[in-house]
Amino acid sequence: MTREQRSVEELSIWEDARSMLRKARAEGVETAWDRLEQQTPHCTFCELGTTCRNCVMGPCRISPKATKSGKLQRGVCGADADVIVARNFGRFIAGGSAGHSDHGRDLIEVLEAIVEGETTDYAIRDEAKLRRIAAELGIDAAERPLMDVARDLVDECYSDFGSRRKSVGFLARAPEKRRALWEKLGMTPRGVDREIAEMMHRTHMGCDNDAPNTLIHAARCALADGWSGSMIGTELSDIIFGVPTPSMSTANLGILKKDTVNILVHGHNPVVSEMILAAAREPQLIAAAKAHGASGITVGGLCCTGNELLMRQGIPMAGNHLMTELAIVTGAVEAVVVDYQCIMPSLVQIAGCYHTRFITTAGKARFTGAIHFDIHPHNAMEEARKIVQMAVDAFAERDPKRVEIPVEPVRIMTGFSNEAILNALGGSLTPLLDAVKAGSIRGFVAIVGCNNPKIQQDSANVGLAKALIERDIMVLATGCVTTAAGKAGLLVPEAASMAGPGLKAVCTALGIPPVLHMGSCVDNSRIMHLCGLIANELGVDISDLPVGASSPEWYSEKAAAIGMYAVASGVYTHLGLPPNILGSQTVTDLALNGLEGLVGASFAVEPDPLKAADLLDARIRAKREALGLKP
Ligand code: BF8
Ligand code: SF4
């Protein structure tokens, strides 16, 4: 099937993944790992970032070596490697920022539909949070009718996407020092769509031909994502679906049940998946499942929409990015219902090898060969019921001989929103900061992001998390790292036994895990907000805090945008593999070193998770010493 097939043990650290890879191979089902082998070796120019397709005088590619005449190569227009790499990276960041932020905008549209009475399927579940967020953004929120306040909040959020502002609304959450620095550097994000559009403009032929200047705008574009587009996504999701609170759930492919109708929700936005879950809990659909011989309906999560429902509703998690294909290979999935982002097009073909219905729901994310339901706020519940009924009907076609559910699920704890963390601490950050000052918690590292078939699945995600907690560094997990940490047993209070003595004592006292699940990838905005709160409490900048970020197995444009806004916010950020920038010495130097002088943080690239733990540890040690704390 492939040129040099690697053993399943080399591809993933998990038994559920390995079993399903064996089954996929036996049944002739192609996976991302097979396609990676077909695509290897990759184009060197593309890996280095030195190809340009921005106009039809090209495409052009720049060799890292000088030409025979000794001159450095340039594109037809005269762009050199620095310009081409910076332009490509800028567009990459704009792509990621657009993804998160357009997701945020969809939440504004749902809130608007609630306010305008266009839907009864959605409601404002957390009125107090709505009033609190509105007041934070300068809206008179105290005595007025709820819908009037909500209407103003809708307007306020839409305005963050436009061109009329000097800075986005939630930027006030960042420390004053940081905002002054952004202003000085020309990095203050003014409007989400504006910064994304300006990045497309700057990277047209004949515009921004100064690599550092392009990268400054890439940072501004990413900051618009982290402090506005994503932040709006998180805050409005909490208002509409509820603020997450700690609860227990389970993870891995063992959450699929032989005797239930199994529906997996995949993608990012809770707008559709919340409705699927609500429909699947309705008595008449459960009765329909029973009429087909099933004992009920299981709704399991994949990727970030799974995280959203895990955080708020405690649904079980079937897996992360590289488990999405393998979940279908169990032969026990009646339907995969998707919205958008990170959904491999291959799922259509794999679903076609089984009885699985592959169902799309967003006009902006159609898949040829899929069954499509066009879901909007006004018809969401009605369509969700039809989808669940379709899954129930598919149960009759399940072939028990092809069903293999390889493992038993493991327990996980979830739901650590900032509100929940503050609540667990008795309403103030003081106990947490006291633990940091005393050195029981030496610092915090957010481990975020994806799987990438170039890396043994979850080896780096889990390896880094374990190495950090051993050193009394608390880990905050979002996105696809969640299921990785959960499967490794790190998301339960008992995992405190794997932590260093200080962190173990804190976790035991509070009854929390040493790795806290804080949500989906847009919820990295919760972590930015928390950094702002802690820095303000201590009267310092975010770059002074003993914190770090890491994306050990990242793959996506969105992960790059997250890394960029973390660094631009002052958080030292580790990546397990480099972006496609190595063809430019200027851009590479800036990312790995130069940004430190500008924004007080930089990227570090290190494939080995233990060496990455050393880098993050050294950073935390230095920041603690600078704050006058024992390292
Ligand atoms: O936004 S972690 S593989 S699912 S990009 Fe995608 Fe990466 Fe998963 Fe969520 Ni985030
Ligand atoms: Fe080539 Fe310049 Fe056109 Fe890019 S913009 S394809 S480098 S001519």
Side-chain angles (χ1 to χ4, degrees):
M1 186 161 65
T2 54
R3 289 180 309 145
E4 289 169 33
Q5 205 164 44
R6 290 182 288 165
S7 73
V8 298
E9 286 75 18
E10 288 173 85
L11 304 187
S12 172
I13 65 170
W14 304 119
E15 193 40 47
D16 58 353
R18 291 172 177 178
S19 304
M20 288 307 100
L21 278 161
R22 283 185 209 105
K23 185 168 187 279
R25 286 178 178 181
E27 295 182 353
V29 173
E30 187 186 80
T31 66
W33 288 278
D34 299 320
R35 295 187 297 273
L36 174 64
E37 298 214 2
Q38 292 156 19
Q39 289 291 336
T40 307
H42 295 283
C43 163
T44 310
F45 295 100
C46 291
E47 280 186 328
L48 293 172
T50 53
T51 45
C52 182
R53 291 178 293 112
N54 289 10
C55 86
V56 294
M57 292 193 287
C60 302
R61 56 183 200 181
I62 309 288
S63 164
K65 295 178 206 129
T67 56
K68 275 186 199 146
S69 65
K71 281 190 185 161
L72 286 176
Q73 260 190 346
R74 289 177 184 270
V76 176
C77 66
D80 63 13
D82 291 341
V83 166
I84 290 175
V85 167
R87 286 196 305 217
N88 289 339
F89 189 57
R91 286 194 172 194
F92 197 73
I93 297 279
S97 304
H100 288 143
S101 299
D102 201 41
H103 164 161
R105 186 193 346 252
D106 285 342
L107 269 310
I108 311 177
E109 287 186 357
V110 174
L111 185 58
E112 185 177 38
I114 296 169
V115 169
E116 300 306 332
E118 289 163 6
T119 179
T120 50
D121 295 345
Y122 302 93
I124 293 167
R125 265 196 215 155
D126 195 326
E127 179 179 336
K129 177 149 188 175
L130 184 139
R131 289 187 188 274
R132 181 159 52 80
I133 295 294
E136 189 186 340
L137 293 173
I139 296 163
D140 174 9
E143 305 290 332
R144 299 162 62 215
L146 182 66
M147 286 303 161
D148 289 356
V149 179
R151 184 174 287 109
D152 287 354
L153 181 60
V154 165
D155 286 346
E156 188 65 27
C157 291
Y158 273 136
S159 296
D160 253 17
F161 280 75
S163 304
R164 306 288 294 269
R165 299 212 147 149
K166 291 202 164 54
S167 79
V168 294
F170 284 123
L171 221 59
R173 290 176 168 184
E176 212 177 311
K177 251 186 169 171
R178 180 71 15 194
R179 281 181 278 143
L181 180 66
W182 286 334
E183 201 54 37
K184 191 175 107 199
L185 294 171
M187 266 187 207
T188 304
R190 301 155 296 179
V192 175
D193 289 352
R194 176 174 188 171
E195 307 312 355
I196 294 165
E198 187 172 314
M199 180 52 84
M200 298 309 285
H201 175 194
R202 282 175 181 240
T203 50
H204 188 281
M205 201 299 271
C207 289
D208 202 359
N209 289 303
D210 180 59
N213 201 47
T214 307
L215 290 184
I216 297 266
H217 187 73
R220 174 151 63 172
C221 195
L223 286 169
D225 170 1
W227 293 88
S228 182
S230 281
M231 213 167 252
I232 286 173
T234 296
E235 301 296 33
L236 295 195
S237 294
D238 282 359
I239 287 168
I240 298 167
F241 301 112
V243 175
T245 52
S247 69
M248 296 302 297
S249 186
T250 50
N252 75 26
L253 289 184
I255 67 107
L256 298 168
K257 298 280 166 268
K258 276 195 175 152
D259 62 346
T260 64
V261 172
N262 294 315
I263 301 173
L264 294 179
V265 287
H266 180 15
H268 285 77
N269 202 317
V271 163
V272 169
S273 48
E274 280 272 354
M275 292 298 115
I276 299 293
L277 180 66
R281 286 175 173 172
E282 287 187 339
Q284 71 274 20
L285 282 161
I286 295 172
K290 288 185 175 163
H292 278 79
S295 69
I297 304 172
T298 298
V299 176
L302 290 168
C303 290
C304 280
T305 210
N307 277 308
E308 297 273 349
L309 265 62
L310 170 64
M311 282 284 277
R312 298 194 182 85
Q313 309 279 358
I315 69 159
M317 284 295 279
N320 52 3
H321 183 50
L322 280 177
M323 299 307 294
T324 58
E325 296 183 308
L326 301 181
I328 301 175
V329 176
T330 59
V333 177
E334 275 58 54
V336 179
V337 187
V338 308
D339 48 80
Y340 41 58
Q341 298 169 16
C342 302
I343 300 147
M344 289 194 236
S346 62
L347 297 189
V348 177
Q349 283 79 49
I350 298 186
C353 298
Y354 301 88
H355 70 300
T356 310
R357 309 296 194 256
F358 182 77
I359 298 166
T360 55
T361 59
K364 55 188 146 199
R366 299 283 302 257
F367 290 59
T368 305
I371 304 162
H372 186 69
F373 287 78
D374 219 34
I375 297 198
H376 299 279
H378 68 86
N379 70 356
M381 197 60 201
E382 193 187 328
E383 297 301 287
R385 287 190 188 107
K386 289 184 204 159
I387 290 172
V388 173
Q389 183 67 54
M390 184 174 271
V392 166
D393 293 340
F395 184 75
E397 290 172 36
R398 192 195 282 183
D399 179 354
K401 292 193 293 300
R402 290 187 74 196
V403 171
E404 184 184 335
I405 297 170
V407 289
E408 288 298 316
V410 296
R411 287 164 59 247
I412 59 175
M413 193 178 203
T414 176
F416 290 96
S417 57
N418 290 341
E419 289 89 338
I421 292 172
L422 275 167
N423 205 23
L425 296 168
S428 134
L429 283 173
T430 310
L432 190 69
L433 296 182
D434 286 348
V436 173
K437 286 176 190 161
S440 354
I441 299 178
R442 293 181 49 239
F444 301 89
V445 170
I447 310 186
V448 313
C450 326
N451 290 143
N452 184 323
K454 292 177 178 175
I455 297 170
Q456 185 193 33
Q457 189 206 9
D458 289 333
S459 59
N461 287 334
V462 170
L464 179 62
K466 284 187 173 169
L468 290 173
I469 63 169
E470 272 171 20
R471 300 162 192 231
D472 287 329
I473 296 167
M474 182 169 242
V475 170
L476 312 174
T478 60
C480 285
V481 175
T482 308
T483 316
K487 284 161 79 166
L490 295 170
L491 292 185
V492 281
E494 299 87 301
S497 64
M498 291 188 241
L503 182 58
K504 180 179 173 180
V506 173
C507 291
T508 308
L510 293 172
I512 57 170
V515 180
L516 298 184
H517 176 221
M518 293 193 71
S520 64
C521 280
V522 295
D523 290 337
N524 287 312
S525 65
R526 294 189 202 276
I527 300 176
M528 288 303 12
H529 186 197
L530 188 60
C531 285
L533 290 173
I534 294 175
N536 285 336
E537 183 85 14
L538 295 175
V540 299
D541 195 355
I542 294 173
S543 54
D544 299 320
L545 299 176
V547 300
S550 170
S551 199
E553 302 182 24
W554 74 287
Y555 93 91
S556 76
E557 291 172 327
K558 293 179 294 164
I562 294 166
M564 189 79 237
Y565 73 63
V567 168
S569 300
V571 180
Y572 175 77
T573 298
H574 158 256
L575 301 174
L577 66 179
N580 299 321
I581 60 169
L582 300 182
S584 163
Q585 200 59 47
T586 306
V587 174
T588 305
D589 284 348
L590 201 57
L592 298 182
N593 304 301
L595 282 172
E596 186 73 47
L598 283 177
V599 295
S602 61
F603 286 101
V605 176
E606 173 53 63
D608 181 333
L610 295 182
K611 288 186 187 153
D614 287 342
L615 292 172
L616 288 156
D617 190 345
R619 177 74 174 193
I620 283 170
R621 188 172 288 269
K623 292 296 167 188
R624 289 185 61 85
E625 277 174 341
L627 288 170
L629 304 173
K630 70 169 195 236

